Amino acid sequence: EPYRMFTSRAEYRLVLRADNADQRLTPLGLKLGCVGPARATVYKAKATALAAARARLAALKATPPQLARWNIAVNQDGIVRRASDLLALPGVDVARLALIWPELANLRADVAEQAEIDARYRGYLERQDADIKCFRADEDLALPRDLDYAVLPSLSTEIRQKLAHIRPATLGQAARISGVTPAALTILLKYVRRRAA
Protein backbone atom coordinates (compact mmCIF):
# COMPACT_ATOMS: atom_id res chain seq x y z
CA GLU A 1 0.00 0.00 0.00
CA PRO A 2 2.20 2.86 -1.24
CA TYR A 3 0.02 5.53 0.37
CA ARG A 4 1.02 4.12 3.74
CA MET A 5 4.76 4.54 3.12
CA PHE A 6 6.52 6.93 5.46
CA THR A 7 8.96 9.12 3.55
CA SER A 8 10.41 10.03 6.95
CA ARG A 9 11.68 6.46 7.14
CA ALA A 10 13.39 6.61 3.77
CA GLU A 11 17.11 6.42 4.26
CA TYR A 12 18.04 9.55 2.30
CA ARG A 13 14.75 11.31 1.74
CA LEU A 14 16.05 14.66 0.51
CA VAL A 15 16.32 13.22 -2.97
CA LEU A 16 12.82 11.69 -2.78
CA ARG A 17 10.90 14.78 -3.83
CA ALA A 18 7.89 15.17 -6.10
CA ASP A 19 9.67 17.81 -8.18
CA ASN A 20 12.40 15.42 -9.33
CA ALA A 21 10.38 12.19 -9.60
CA ASP A 22 10.51 12.26 -13.40
CA GLN A 23 14.30 12.68 -13.36
CA ARG A 24 14.78 9.85 -10.87
CA LEU A 25 12.25 7.35 -12.20
CA THR A 26 11.85 7.87 -15.95
CA PRO A 27 15.36 6.58 -16.82
CA LEU A 28 14.60 3.45 -14.79
CA GLY A 29 11.23 3.11 -16.54
CA LEU A 30 12.94 3.48 -19.91
CA LYS A 31 15.46 0.79 -19.00
CA LEU A 32 12.66 -1.55 -17.91
CA GLY A 33 10.58 -0.81 -21.00
CA CYS A 34 7.53 0.51 -19.17
CA VAL A 35 7.69 4.11 -20.46
CA GLY A 36 5.88 4.73 -23.73
CA PRO A 37 7.38 6.60 -26.69
CA ALA A 38 5.37 9.80 -26.08
CA ARG A 39 6.46 10.02 -22.43
CA ALA A 40 10.06 9.18 -23.43
CA THR A 41 10.08 12.05 -25.96
CA VAL A 42 8.72 14.52 -23.37
CA TYR A 43 11.26 13.35 -20.79
CA LYS A 44 14.22 13.55 -23.16
CA ALA A 45 13.26 17.08 -24.25
CA LYS A 46 13.01 18.21 -20.63
CA ALA A 47 16.27 16.48 -19.66
CA THR A 48 18.09 18.16 -22.57
CA ALA A 49 16.64 21.58 -21.70
CA LEU A 50 17.50 21.10 -18.02
CA ALA A 51 21.10 20.09 -18.79
CA ALA A 52 21.51 23.14 -21.03
CA ALA A 53 20.00 25.43 -18.37
CA ARG A 54 22.29 24.03 -15.66
CA ALA A 55 25.34 24.54 -17.88
CA ARG A 56 24.24 28.08 -18.73
CA LEU A 57 23.56 28.99 -15.06
CA ALA A 58 26.98 27.64 -14.08
CA ALA A 59 28.70 29.65 -16.83
CA LEU A 60 27.09 33.02 -16.02
CA LYS A 61 29.08 34.88 -13.36
CA ALA A 62 29.08 38.25 -11.65
CA THR A 63 31.18 40.06 -9.05
CA PRO A 64 29.73 41.39 -5.79
CA PRO A 65 29.79 45.03 -7.01
CA GLN A 66 27.93 44.02 -10.19
CA LEU A 67 25.33 42.17 -8.13
CA ALA A 68 24.97 45.12 -5.76
CA ARG A 69 23.92 47.26 -8.74
CA TRP A 70 21.02 44.80 -9.22
CA ASN A 71 20.16 44.83 -5.49
CA ILE A 72 21.32 41.25 -4.93
CA ALA A 73 22.88 41.20 -1.49
CA VAL A 74 26.07 39.16 -1.24
CA ASN A 75 29.21 39.68 0.83
CA GLN A 76 31.48 42.23 -0.77
CA ASP A 77 34.38 39.80 -0.59
CA GLY A 78 35.54 39.90 -4.20
CA ILE A 79 34.38 36.35 -4.87
CA VAL A 80 32.73 35.92 -8.26
CA ARG A 81 29.32 34.21 -7.96
CA ARG A 82 27.75 31.86 -10.50
CA ALA A 83 24.10 32.36 -11.43
CA SER A 84 23.39 28.80 -10.24
CA ASP A 85 24.69 29.72 -6.77
CA LEU A 86 22.68 32.94 -6.67
CA LEU A 87 19.45 30.95 -7.05
CA ALA A 88 19.99 29.58 -3.54
CA LEU A 89 19.67 33.09 -2.07
CA PRO A 90 16.32 34.18 -0.62
CA GLY A 91 14.28 36.22 -3.07
CA VAL A 92 16.41 35.31 -6.08
CA ASP A 93 14.78 33.39 -8.90
CA VAL A 94 15.37 32.94 -12.63
CA ALA A 95 13.10 35.90 -13.46
CA ARG A 96 15.22 38.19 -11.29
CA LEU A 97 18.46 36.86 -12.78
CA ALA A 98 17.03 37.43 -16.27
CA LEU A 99 17.25 41.16 -15.54
CA ILE A 100 21.03 40.72 -15.38
CA TRP A 101 21.32 38.02 -18.03
CA PRO A 102 18.42 38.44 -20.51
CA GLU A 103 19.05 35.04 -22.15
CA LEU A 104 17.66 33.38 -19.01
CA ALA A 105 14.21 34.77 -19.86
CA ASN A 106 14.04 32.12 -22.62
CA LEU A 107 14.13 29.17 -20.18
CA ARG A 108 11.03 27.01 -20.13
CA ALA A 109 8.97 27.62 -16.98
CA ASP A 110 9.29 24.01 -15.74
CA VAL A 111 13.06 24.04 -16.35
CA ALA A 112 13.48 27.38 -14.55
CA GLU A 113 11.46 26.09 -11.60
CA GLN A 114 13.54 22.90 -11.39
CA ALA A 115 16.79 24.90 -11.53
CA GLU A 116 15.57 27.05 -8.63
CA ILE A 117 14.57 24.02 -6.54
CA ASP A 118 17.88 22.28 -7.28
CA ALA A 119 19.82 25.36 -6.17
CA ARG A 120 17.90 25.60 -2.90
CA TYR A 121 18.46 21.93 -2.06
CA ARG A 122 22.11 21.78 -3.21
CA GLY A 123 23.67 22.68 0.15
CA TYR A 124 21.49 20.21 2.04
CA LEU A 125 22.20 17.45 -0.48
CA GLU A 126 25.95 18.08 -0.26
CA ARG A 127 25.72 17.79 3.54
CA GLN A 128 23.69 14.58 3.19
CA ASP A 129 26.26 13.16 0.76
CA ALA A 130 29.02 13.94 3.27
CA ASP A 131 26.98 12.14 5.97
CA ILE A 132 26.57 9.12 3.66
CA LYS A 133 30.33 8.95 2.99
CA CYS A 134 31.03 9.30 6.69
CA PHE A 135 28.54 6.56 7.52
CA ARG A 136 29.92 4.19 4.87
CA ALA A 137 33.38 4.67 6.33
CA ASP A 138 32.05 3.83 9.82
CA GLU A 139 29.56 1.10 8.90
CA ASP A 140 31.72 -1.58 10.56
CA LEU A 141 32.15 0.44 13.76
CA ALA A 142 31.47 -1.90 16.68
CA LEU A 143 28.84 -0.72 19.12
CA PRO A 144 29.59 -1.48 22.77
CA ARG A 145 27.49 -4.39 24.08
CA ASP A 146 26.77 -2.46 27.27
CA LEU A 147 25.62 0.71 25.46
CA ASP A 148 22.69 2.27 27.31
CA TYR A 149 20.45 3.67 24.56
CA ALA A 150 18.25 5.38 27.16
CA VAL A 151 20.99 7.98 27.74
CA LEU A 152 20.66 9.23 24.16
CA PRO A 153 17.87 11.77 24.62
CA SER A 154 18.12 13.04 21.04
CA LEU A 155 16.75 9.71 19.78
CA SER A 156 13.03 9.07 19.64
CA THR A 157 11.62 6.65 22.19
CA GLU A 158 10.76 4.23 19.39
CA ILE A 159 14.33 4.16 18.07
CA ARG A 160 15.84 3.81 21.56
CA GLN A 161 13.52 0.87 22.30
CA LYS A 162 14.36 -0.86 19.02
CA LEU A 163 18.10 -0.43 19.51
CA ALA A 164 17.90 -1.64 23.12
CA HIS A 165 15.82 -4.68 22.11
CA ILE A 166 17.90 -5.72 19.06
CA ARG A 167 21.32 -4.59 20.41
CA PRO A 168 23.07 -4.29 17.02
CA ALA A 169 26.74 -5.23 16.99
CA THR A 170 27.77 -2.59 14.43
CA LEU A 171 26.58 0.75 13.13
CA GLY A 172 25.72 -0.95 9.83
CA GLN A 173 23.41 -3.40 11.62
CA ALA A 174 21.75 -0.48 13.41
CA ALA A 175 21.16 1.17 10.03
CA ARG A 176 19.23 -1.85 8.80
CA ILE A 177 16.72 -1.72 11.66
CA SER A 178 13.35 -0.49 10.43
CA GLY A 179 12.69 3.07 11.53
CA VAL A 180 16.28 3.95 12.47
CA THR A 181 16.92 7.17 10.56
CA PRO A 182 20.18 8.58 9.21
CA ALA A 183 19.91 11.35 11.82
CA ALA A 184 19.68 8.73 14.59
CA LEU A 185 22.75 6.96 13.20
CA THR A 186 24.69 10.22 13.22
CA ILE A 187 23.76 10.78 16.89
CA LEU A 188 24.72 7.20 17.71
CA LEU A 189 28.04 7.50 15.87
CA LYS A 190 28.95 10.75 17.64
CA TYR A 191 28.03 9.28 21.04
CA VAL A 192 30.11 6.10 20.52
CA ARG A 193 33.12 8.10 19.30
CA ARG A 194 32.89 10.50 22.23
CA ARG A 195 32.62 7.61 24.66
CA ALA A 196 35.66 5.90 23.12
CA ALA A 197 37.77 9.07 23.33
Side-chain angles (χ1 to χ4, degrees):
E1 299 177 76
Y3 69 92
R4 291 184 179 273
M5 289 173 53
F6 293 110
T7 54
S8 63
R9 294 212 173 154
E11 193 169 3
Y12 301 109
R13 65 183 176 271
L14 281 180
V15 295
L16 303 178
R17 306 186 315 265
D19 68 274
N20 68 4
D22 60 340
Q23 297 166 66
R24 289 182 293 107
L25 301 175
T26 306
L28 181 61
L30 286 167
K31 195 183 308 183
L32 296 172
C34 60
V35 172
R39 175 72 191 121
T41 301
V42 169
Y43 168 74
K44 287 175 183 169
K46 181 180 178 183
T48 300
L50 196 51
R54 286 176 177 147
R56 190 75 193 125
L57 287 163
L60 295 171
K61 299 175 182 175
T63 64
Q66 290 170 323
L67 294 170
R69 285 195 290 274
W70 291 98
N71 294 321
I72 296 179
V74 295
N75 290 336
Q76 296 297 312
D77 52 12
I79 297 174
V80 175
R81 296 333 193 264
R82 296 178 307 168
S84 56
D85 296 331
L86 295 172
L87 286 174
L89 298 174
V92 177
D93 57 11
V94 170
R96 188 161 174 200
L97 293 182
L99 298 173
I100 304 169
W101 298 290
E103 64 266 38
L104 294 179
N106 298 327
L107 292 181
R108 289 175 21 184
D110 60 335
V111 169
E113 180 183 28
Q114 188 63 60
E116 292 166 4
I117 293 169
D118 289 349
R120 291 193 176 98
Y121 274 98
R122 187 178 306 116
Y124 299 108
L125 289 168
E126 287 169 358
R127 206 169 325 145
Q128 180 177 276
D129 287 344
D131 288 346
I132 292 168
K133 286 177 185 153
C134 203
F135 169 73
R136 296 248 160 85
D138 293 315
E139 194 170 10
D140 295 328
L141 177 74
L143 299 176
R145 294 300 303 162
D146 63 339
L147 184 59
D148 182 8
Y149 295 100
V151 301
L152 297 169
S154 301
L155 298 179
S156 71
T157 302
E158 176 191 8
I159 291 174
R160 277 186 278 155
Q161 288 172 347
K162 284 183 177 185
L163 290 169
H165 175 72
I166 296 171
R167 306 227 47 93
T170 65
L171 194 63
Q173 286 179 357
R176 289 181 272 290
I177 297 171
S178 171
V180 175
T181 63
L185 293 171
T186 302
I187 291 166
L188 186 57
L189 174 63
K190 287 179 182 174
Y191 179 79
V192 170
R193 280 190 178 157
R194 215 174 18 244
R195 182 179 154 167

